[in-house]
């Protein structure tokens, strides 16, 4: 029983250890998106990211764009009436350079393509809080994981170079190649203490960084049906990413046969040093339209479809043998459906120098509850944004935006993972998020 108890406590802590950013793709490439998420059919200074085929309809010249965003908020879980929270403070820069000529354009964009910020869980997570209930279910008390801490990050950087061709006055096409660098880190310490014995029974440590390079393509189409109506479509190919983990790790020493040396890698093998694994960025089909209701008022509609099922996420890595099956702990494999989002946006020109932006977006990530763990959960959301554009002259544009994400809250799947009668006191955790982002961009035409 002592062997089972020690192993169970360790497994519960480790299964809550890592952070990742749900479905990895983001669409907040530029600050303008924060104010108007319906960018796919727009023709503006942000089109190099969302509708590159539409660039040929801008004035001739060379454009330089610099942008920066700051995301603030938290990710939170609740278990047994207690909250466990990690604060998010994430800067996101972007840069674009594009040249527009009469019948063609060249464009280069650089910035974030996916991922999230750096999260630090200083007070533990739901996976540590569940331990007393597990022990109560088998009539034992006295174990603690106080002092355990975990930090993780997740970032994908894109570099895209493309060309736009004007077929005629209405139709234009774009093609581009892109290189992606992905980085996912996990750093933490786990302490297993006995309150009865008043001493630490063992500790584990990991400092792992997984990195990968990937390459893909981008195709775009813009159809300017009239002076008022514009239609566009873009396809970003899947990015195949083969990650390799490097760094250091140390297993726990509990003095219990069969689990000495067990550490983070037993439950998160993709982070175990030297391990190779696949985690792709899925393909995206993006479409949109914009319509000028009046000379000063434009409305837009956008949709994105994410082919999550065709992407491999941490596949090819086999779980280590932990012996937990004897206690009734089930290995739940993460599942994803394809994801989608819809956005409605507007831009109203108040004067030749000022315009106001507004939008609403709904996103269904496609992440099933089986993909949730304590620090990775893709919650559906509503995004509300607004902003201002300022044009001090004909060649200069400033954009100031802010948006707020309203996430659904969702229960976890402890009821599936710990479905054995001995875990009758285990409850499901509840996951939630709250994020607000603000951005500023500057574009100059030469």
């Amino acid at each position: 029983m002592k062997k089972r108890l020690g192993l169970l406590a360790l497994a519960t802590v480790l299964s809550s250890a890592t952070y990742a950013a749900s479905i990895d793709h983001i669409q907040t490439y530029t600050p303008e998106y924060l104010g108007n998420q319906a960018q796919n059919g727009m023709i503006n200074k942000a089109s190099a990211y969302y509708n590159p085929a539409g660039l040929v309809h801008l004035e001739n010249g060379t454009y330089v764009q610099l942008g920066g965003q700051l995301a603030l908020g938290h990710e939170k879980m609740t278990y047994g009436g207690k909250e466990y929270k990690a604060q998010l403070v994430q800067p996101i820069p972007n840069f674009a350079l594009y040249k527009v000529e009469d019948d063609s354009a060249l464009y280069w964009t650089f910035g974030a393509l996916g991922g999230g910020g750096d999260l630090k869980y200083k007070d533990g997570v739901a996976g540590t809080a569940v331990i007393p209930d597990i022990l109560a279910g088998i009539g034992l008390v006295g174990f603690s994981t106080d002092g355990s801490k975990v930090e993780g990050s997740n970032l994908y950087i894109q570099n895209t170079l493309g060309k736009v061709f004007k077929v005629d006055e209405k139709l234009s096409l774009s093609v581009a190649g892109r290189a992606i660098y992905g980085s996912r880190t996990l750093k933490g310490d786990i302490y297993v203490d006995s309150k009865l014995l008043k001493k630490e029974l063992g500790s584990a440590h990991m400092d792992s960084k997984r990195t990968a390079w990937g390459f893909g393509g981008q195709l775009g189409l813009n159809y300017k049906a009239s002076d008022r109506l514009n239609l566009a479509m873009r396809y970003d190919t899947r990015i195949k990413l083969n990650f390799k983990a490097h760094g250091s790790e140390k297993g726990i020493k509990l003095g219990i046969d069969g689990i000495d040396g067990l550490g983070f890698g037993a439950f998160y093998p993709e982070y175990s040093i030297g391990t190779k694994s696949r985690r792709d960025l899925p393909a995206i089909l993006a479409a949109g339209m914009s319509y000028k209701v009046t000379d000063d008022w434009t409305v837009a509609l956008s949709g994105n479809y994410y082919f999550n099922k065709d992407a491999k996420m941490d596949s090819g890595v086999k779980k280590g043998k932990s012996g937990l099956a004897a206690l009734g702990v089930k290995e739940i494999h993460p599942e994803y459906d394809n994801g989608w989002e819809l956005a409605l946006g507007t831009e109203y020109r108040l004067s030749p120098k000022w315009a106001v932006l507004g939008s609403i977006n709904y996103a269904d990530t496609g992440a099933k509850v089986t993909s949730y763990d304590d620090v990775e959960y893709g919650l559906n959301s509503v995004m509300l944004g607004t902003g201002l554009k300022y044009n001090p002259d004909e060649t200069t544009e400033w954009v100031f935006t802010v948006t707020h994400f309203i996430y659904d809250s969702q229960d976890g799947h402890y009821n599936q993972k710990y479905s054995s009668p001995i875990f009758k006191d285990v409850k499901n955790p509840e996951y939630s998020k709250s994020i607000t982002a603000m951005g500023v961009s500057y574009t100059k035409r030469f």
Side-chain angles (χ1 to χ4, degrees):
M1 179 60 73
K2 288 183 178 179
K3 291 183 180 180
R4 288 187 174 184
L5 176 59
L7 181 57
L8 177 59
L10 177 62
T12 309
V13 177
L14 288 174
S15 65
S16 67
T18 187
Y19 161 71
S22 306
I23 304 298
D24 297 321
H25 261 298
I26 61 172
Q27 289 296 316
T28 53
Y29 309 138
T30 70
E32 183 152 345
Y33 182 86
L34 302 181
N36 177 9
Q37 293 101 49
Q39 289 292 325
N40 293 341
M42 297 288 290
I43 296 176
N44 55 27
K45 307 302 188 298
S47 290
Y49 292 91
Y50 303 100
N51 180 22
L55 287 174
V56 292
H57 295 290
L58 295 178
E59 292 188 57
N60 287 354
T62 299
Y63 295 74
V64 178
Q65 183 183 93
L66 297 172
Q69 304 168 52
L70 181 64
L72 303 171
H74 66 261
E75 297 199 7
K76 182 178 67 176
M77 60 201 74
T78 303
Y79 185 85
K82 184 176 179 180
E83 294 183 350
Y84 301 86
K85 183 185 295 186
Q87 298 296 327
L88 172 68
V89 180
Q90 180 65 33
I92 307 171
N94 73 281
F95 175 77
L97 176 65
Y98 47 100
K99 183 177 182 180
V100 180
E101 298 177 332
D102 292 334
D103 298 318
S104 66
L106 285 171
Y107 66 98
W108 172 49
T109 63
F110 176 83
L113 182 67
D118 190 341
L119 294 182
K120 298 180 181 179
Y121 288 88
K122 298 179 179 179
D123 300 318
V125 289
T128 59
V130 73
I131 292 176
D133 288 339
I134 293 175
L135 301 183
I138 57 177
L140 296 173
V141 295
F143 278 77
S144 168
T145 57
D146 292 345
S148 298
K149 57 184 182 295
V150 178
E151 178 180 355
S153 65
N154 174 13
L155 179 64
Y156 297 82
I157 300 173
Q158 65 87 16
N159 187 42
T160 302
L161 179 63
K163 173 77 172 179
V164 185
F165 306 90
K166 191 174 184 180
V167 178
D168 55 36
E169 291 305 312
K170 292 188 175 184
L171 179 64
S172 54
L173 306 173
S174 67
V175 60
R178 54 188 3 187
I180 310 297
Y181 174 76
S183 172
R184 305 174 70 88
T185 66
L186 171 61
K187 182 178 181 179
D189 295 282
I190 297 173
Y191 304 99
V192 178
D193 300 330
S194 171
K195 291 183 178 180
L196 295 178
L197 299 177
K198 296 182 179 180
K199 69 175 184 178
E200 180 184 305
L201 297 183
S203 64
H205 171 77
M206 174 170 276
D207 188 351
S208 176
K209 183 175 183 179
R210 301 166 59 199
T211 59
W213 281 94
F215 302 90
Q218 182 185 81
L219 301 173
L221 179 152
N222 190 88
Y223 186 75
K224 194 170 177 61
S226 68
D227 290 338
R228 294 192 177 277
L229 177 63
N230 191 72
L231 306 171
M233 183 177 294
R234 191 189 81 248
Y235 179 76
D236 297 342
T237 67
R238 181 185 65 174
I239 306 295
K240 179 181 176 180
L241 293 166
N242 287 303
F243 282 89
K244 182 176 181 179
H246 44 87
S248 62
E249 63 180 315
K250 178 179 73 74
I252 204 163
K253 299 293 184 182
L254 289 177
I256 301 173
D257 292 340
I259 65 168
D260 265 359
L262 190 64
F264 284 90
F267 296 89
Y268 294 93
E270 63 273 16
Y271 283 93
S272 190
I273 308 308
T275 298
K276 297 179 181 180
S277 60
R278 280 275 298 277
R279 189 177 178 103
D280 302 340
L281 287 173
I284 302 176
L285 179 62
M289 60 82 68
S290 61
Y291 183 75
K292 291 180 68 68
V293 181
T294 68
D295 290 342
D296 295 323
W297 181 27
T298 301
V299 295
L301 180 67
S302 284
N304 297 313
Y305 192 80
Y306 301 86
F307 296 89
N308 297 325
K309 288 186 175 182
D310 293 332
K312 296 183 179 181
M313 298 184 182
D314 290 334
S315 65
V317 179
K318 295 182 178 180
K319 299 286 186 179
K321 293 182 179 179
S322 62
L324 296 181
L327 290 175
V329 177
K330 294 180 173 59
E331 183 177 324
I332 307 295
H333 296 280
E335 296 179 296
Y336 298 91
D337 285 332
N338 291 332
W340 57 273
E341 60 185 329
L342 289 174
L344 176 65
T346 184
E347 178 176 328
Y348 186 79
R349 178 64 56 179
L350 300 171
S351 70
K353 290 189 175 182
W354 290 96
V356 62
L357 308 175
S359 60
I360 182 171
N361 174 291
Y362 178 78
D364 186 314
T365 67
K368 295 185 178 181
V369 68
T370 54
S371 70
Y372 298 172
D373 62 30
D374 292 318
V375 288
E376 181 172 2
Y377 36 99
L379 303 176
N380 298 342
S381 65
V382 173
M383 183 179 180
L384 301 174
T386 189
L388 291 171
K389 279 187 179 181
Y390 175 57
N391 302 94
D393 55 57
E394 293 182 352
T395 64
T396 307
E397 180 172 276
W398 289 89
V399 178
F400 309 91
T401 55
V402 63
T403 193
H404 181 67
F405 296 83
I406 304 171
Y407 289 94
D408 292 345
S409 60
Q410 181 69 53
D411 289 342
H413 61 278
Y414 283 6
N415 60 325
Q416 299 177 47
K417 186 175 182 179
Y418 303 106
S419 60
S420 170
I422 66 173
F423 301 131
K424 61 182 179 180
D425 294 323
V426 171
K427 299 174 285 292
N428 261 338
E430 183 182 61
Y431 301 107
S432 62
K433 301 179 184 182
S434 179
I435 298 175
T436 299
M438 57 199 75
V440 179
S441 71
Y442 170 78
T443 305
K444 183 70 175 179
R445 174 170 59 88
F446 297 95

